[in-house]
Amino acid sequence: MQIKIKFSLPDDCNQQQLINALAEYYAIKQEQPVLKNLAIYDTFDWRLFKKSFVLYTYGNMLFLRKLFKNSIIHNTEFTLPPVFIWDFPDSKLKNHLSTVLKIRALLKLTELHSLSTVYHILNQDEKTIALLIYEEISPAQEKTTPNLDTCLWLKPVKGYPKHFKKLIKRLKTAGFVPRQKEDIFFKAMEGAGKNPGCYSSKLKIQLYPALRSDEATKTILRYLLQVMKMNEAILEKDLDTEVLHDFRVAIRRTRSALGQIKSVFPQHMTHRFKKEFAFVGKLSNQLRDLDVYLLKEDTFKAILPPVLRYDIEPLFDYLRKSRSKVLQKTIHDLKSKRYKQIMQDWEAFLDDPVQAQPVESNAGVPILFLARKRIHKQYRRILKDGNRILDNTEDESLHKLRIACKKLRYLMEFFLSLFPGKKINRLIAQLKALQNNLGDFNDLCVQEKYLLSITEELPVKGQKQKKVLVAIGSLIGVLEREKQIIKKKFAKTFTNYASSMNKHAFKELFASKQKGNDS
């Protein structure tokens, strides 16, 4: 069966003229016009748009479709608009989006009014052979604003394909143009002052091999500053915990760039801003820790024996109350004079043109040579440290190796555009496997330590206190067992990463004989 077709109206045609013209050939029955709200949703980092999805509510229904497509992929009824994937009603729509949204919150991008009138096109027997839907879409908040779109939908009715085709011909002859590469989504975003896809936490930086290293490094750091500023602007609204996460990652990447891309800026400036961004990062440490534990609430409860799951509730009640206070403190700190001065000075430094005759040894070196040198050196350091750990797998050594892997990952992502995409992405994927092992181990270490320390802070007494302490103790026991399992997997994970094939690939891509300061 054919799907419904969307038409643009001729410039000189209105709703009544259309119906009058069709009334010469068909009997027409009109339904009452219906006004409904239409709201479009996506995450702050445009996850749906980047997959060419449009998610919207229309009345009490949720719909998912592809951009430039009129057919609906999935739909489901809802009571309240979902914010997180776990808020969705159990449905094919929820399953379809679970791997896309993950833990990111949905934000309402814009709200529209849809005024539609349905016309039944009747044959001589007064049977409906097709439906015409005349629709006007306008911004919900601005009554005086012109319509964003006026269109006509032609919807087939089962059993009357010939009539449907004939109606298409009549509409085309009358000047109605079927729409193909056009989507109301973009008009709606333009009307709301939004630029789809404008934000990504992933590094999308185009560098050129011959670009001076100081200018290339400033390009990277300017990008990271924009990520910080965009997330900081909505952090206070507390819409999505990943906003804080992206803000903090941009800070960590900035510190890593200052530490790893060596001898491109004056030493006193590098030292100063490494220190300043260490301070900035600490401002939100406690808030992020609380976010992580609260996001893991269901996971922690699931690994406890059923009899203890209710007993651990006071822990999460306390964490939620603590988070409210810590959030306000973090917001206050990010409005402080010191923070603002740091960011102003940093932006001014990045906007200053690079020196024509730099003193720093790597400033004028083509970025391709410096990128190769720094990546290859960091890789060799990881191999050396990892092989040493295989003989004595201490917790602290694993922690240091995790930091070293993170630095290498950042370097490879900074300079992604300088190397063949498939080759460097394959090496990054292999590094991720090692990082996941080390990261999971570190997370469990941190969680155990935190749970042990928080037992002294919980404001519960008596029998309730005993029960929550037993539950926390049981949880720590489970985490310890998981930690040991992950620790045992390290040897195999690292050996795979340090394979001769991987070594050859790194050497081929990054080994360089170019001279330069590697201090």
mmCIF file of all heavy atoms in Angstrom, residues 5 24 35 116 136 164-165 207 303 392 395 415 490 515:
data_model
loop_
_atom_site.group_PDB
_atom_site.id
_atom_site.type_symbol
_atom_site.label_atom_id
_atom_site.label_comp_id
_atom_site.label_asym_id
_atom_site.label_seq_id
_atom_site.Cartn_x
_atom_site.Cartn_y
_atom_site.Cartn_z
ATOM 1 N N ILE A 5 1.381 11.132 0.936
ATOM 2 C CA ILE A 5 2.271 12.036 0.219
ATOM 3 C C ILE A 5 2.013 13.461 0.680
ATOM 4 O O ILE A 5 0.868 13.878 0.875
ATOM 5 C CB ILE A 5 2.047 11.926 -1.306
ATOM 6 C CG1 ILE A 5 2.327 10.498 -1.775
ATOM 7 C CG2 ILE A 5 2.947 12.899 -2.057
ATOM 8 C CD1 ILE A 5 2.049 10.275 -3.245
ATOM 9 N N GLU A 24 -15.439 19.676 -7.982
ATOM 10 C CA GLU A 24 -15.931 19.485 -9.346
ATOM 11 C C GLU A 24 -15.895 18.015 -9.751
ATOM 12 O O GLU A 24 -16.594 17.590 -10.666
ATOM 13 C CB GLU A 24 -15.080 20.302 -10.328
ATOM 14 C CG GLU A 24 -15.173 21.809 -10.113
ATOM 15 C CD GLU A 24 -14.309 22.567 -11.109
ATOM 16 O OE1 GLU A 24 -13.917 21.952 -12.127
ATOM 17 O OE2 GLU A 24 -14.038 23.752 -10.865
ATOM 18 N N LEU A 35 -6.765 21.202 16.629
ATOM 19 C CA LEU A 35 -5.540 21.890 17.032
ATOM 20 C C LEU A 35 -4.806 21.016 18.045
ATOM 21 O O LEU A 35 -5.359 20.674 19.089
ATOM 22 C CB LEU A 35 -5.864 23.257 17.650
ATOM 23 C CG LEU A 35 -4.662 24.068 18.136
ATOM 24 C CD1 LEU A 35 -3.771 24.478 16.965
ATOM 25 C CD2 LEU A 35 -5.120 25.304 18.909
ATOM 26 N N SER A 116 -5.036 21.138 11.817
ATOM 27 C CA SER A 116 -5.277 20.283 10.653
ATOM 28 C C SER A 116 -6.767 20.056 10.440
ATOM 29 O O SER A 116 -7.543 19.946 11.392
ATOM 30 C CB SER A 116 -4.558 18.940 10.811
ATOM 31 O OG SER A 116 -5.020 18.269 11.964
ATOM 32 N N GLU A 136 -1.608 23.442 8.949
ATOM 33 C CA GLU A 136 -0.837 24.668 9.171
ATOM 34 C C GLU A 136 -0.053 24.504 10.474
ATOM 35 O O GLU A 136 -0.627 24.172 11.506
ATOM 36 C CB GLU A 136 -1.760 25.882 9.281
ATOM 37 C CG GLU A 136 -2.527 26.185 8.003
ATOM 38 C CD GLU A 136 -3.482 27.359 8.163
ATOM 39 O OE1 GLU A 136 -3.820 27.688 9.336
ATOM 40 O OE2 GLU A 136 -3.883 27.942 7.153
ATOM 41 N N PHE A 164 -6.376 6.823 -5.788
ATOM 42 C CA PHE A 164 -5.251 7.515 -5.161
ATOM 43 C C PHE A 164 -4.296 8.058 -6.229
ATOM 44 O O PHE A 164 -3.873 9.223 -6.182
ATOM 45 C CB PHE A 164 -4.518 6.545 -4.222
ATOM 46 C CG PHE A 164 -3.409 7.176 -3.429
ATOM 47 C CD1 PHE A 164 -3.682 8.108 -2.433
ATOM 48 C CD2 PHE A 164 -2.088 6.835 -3.667
ATOM 49 C CE1 PHE A 164 -2.663 8.683 -1.691
ATOM 50 C CE2 PHE A 164 -1.065 7.406 -2.934
ATOM 51 C CZ PHE A 164 -1.354 8.337 -1.942
ATOM 52 N N LYS A 165 -3.987 7.229 -7.218
ATOM 53 C CA LYS A 165 -3.088 7.662 -8.291
ATOM 54 C C LYS A 165 -3.705 8.795 -9.106
ATOM 55 O O LYS A 165 -3.029 9.736 -9.524
ATOM 56 C CB LYS A 165 -2.761 6.475 -9.203
ATOM 57 C CG LYS A 165 -1.886 5.421 -8.544
ATOM 58 C CD LYS A 165 -1.628 4.241 -9.468
ATOM 59 C CE LYS A 165 -0.763 3.196 -8.775
ATOM 60 N NZ LYS A 165 -0.538 2.006 -9.651
ATOM 61 N N LEU A 207 43.005 19.800 11.303
ATOM 62 C CA LEU A 207 44.360 20.347 11.292
ATOM 63 C C LEU A 207 45.033 19.975 9.973
ATOM 64 O O LEU A 207 44.654 18.988 9.332
ATOM 65 C CB LEU A 207 45.171 19.787 12.465
ATOM 66 C CG LEU A 207 44.628 20.044 13.875
ATOM 67 C CD1 LEU A 207 45.494 19.331 14.904
ATOM 68 C CD2 LEU A 207 44.564 21.535 14.180
ATOM 69 N N ILE A 303 22.568 -5.788 42.290
ATOM 70 C CA ILE A 303 23.588 -6.786 42.660
ATOM 71 C C ILE A 303 23.520 -7.169 44.134
ATOM 72 O O ILE A 303 24.238 -8.067 44.571
ATOM 73 C CB ILE A 303 25.018 -6.298 42.307
ATOM 74 C CG1 ILE A 303 25.386 -5.024 43.078
ATOM 75 C CG2 ILE A 303 25.153 -6.077 40.812
ATOM 76 C CD1 ILE A 303 26.806 -4.531 42.776
ATOM 77 N N ASN A 392 53.962 -7.589 38.547
ATOM 78 C CA ASN A 392 53.484 -7.227 39.892
ATOM 79 C C ASN A 392 52.308 -6.263 39.747
ATOM 80 O O ASN A 392 52.484 -5.055 39.647
ATOM 81 C CB ASN A 392 54.618 -6.586 40.685
ATOM 82 C CG ASN A 392 54.223 -6.294 42.125
ATOM 83 O OD1 ASN A 392 53.182 -6.758 42.598
ATOM 84 N ND2 ASN A 392 55.029 -5.511 42.815
ATOM 85 N N ASP A 395 47.613 -2.108 42.673
ATOM 86 C CA ASP A 395 46.506 -1.196 42.380
ATOM 87 C C ASP A 395 47.013 0.168 41.924
ATOM 88 O O ASP A 395 46.502 0.746 40.952
ATOM 89 C CB ASP A 395 45.620 -1.024 43.617
ATOM 90 C CG ASP A 395 44.848 -2.297 43.940
ATOM 91 O OD1 ASP A 395 45.086 -3.324 43.276
ATOM 92 O OD2 ASP A 395 44.009 -2.260 44.864
ATOM 93 N N PHE A 415 44.790 14.828 17.264
ATOM 94 C CA PHE A 415 45.466 14.839 15.965
ATOM 95 C C PHE A 415 44.846 13.863 14.968
ATOM 96 O O PHE A 415 45.474 13.477 13.980
ATOM 97 C CB PHE A 415 46.952 14.519 16.162
ATOM 98 C CG PHE A 415 47.647 15.468 17.100
ATOM 99 C CD1 PHE A 415 48.319 15.012 18.223
ATOM 100 C CD2 PHE A 415 47.620 16.842 16.874
ATOM 101 C CE1 PHE A 415 48.962 15.887 19.086
ATOM 102 C CE2 PHE A 415 48.252 17.730 17.739
ATOM 103 C CZ PHE A 415 48.920 17.254 18.840
ATOM 104 N N PHE A 490 43.360 -8.166 33.339
ATOM 105 C CA PHE A 490 44.294 -7.159 32.834
ATOM 106 C C PHE A 490 45.393 -7.765 31.971
ATOM 107 O O PHE A 490 45.717 -7.243 30.899
ATOM 108 C CB PHE A 490 44.933 -6.382 33.994
ATOM 109 C CG PHE A 490 46.104 -5.546 33.556
ATOM 110 C CD1 PHE A 490 45.910 -4.360 32.856
ATOM 111 C CD2 PHE A 490 47.409 -5.977 33.796
ATOM 112 C CE1 PHE A 490 46.988 -3.605 32.419
ATOM 113 C CE2 PHE A 490 48.497 -5.222 33.357
ATOM 114 C CZ PHE A 490 48.280 -4.035 32.669
ATOM 115 N N LYS A 515 63.650 15.767 13.891
ATOM 116 C CA LYS A 515 64.264 16.260 15.121
ATOM 117 C C LYS A 515 63.391 17.324 15.757
ATOM 118 O O LYS A 515 62.739 18.103 15.081
ATOM 119 C CB LYS A 515 65.649 16.836 14.828
ATOM 120 C CG LYS A 515 66.663 15.763 14.401
ATOM 121 C CD LYS A 515 68.028 16.381 14.172
ATOM 122 C CE LYS A 515 69.026 15.299 13.750
ATOM 123 N NZ LYS A 515 70.365 15.877 13.516
#
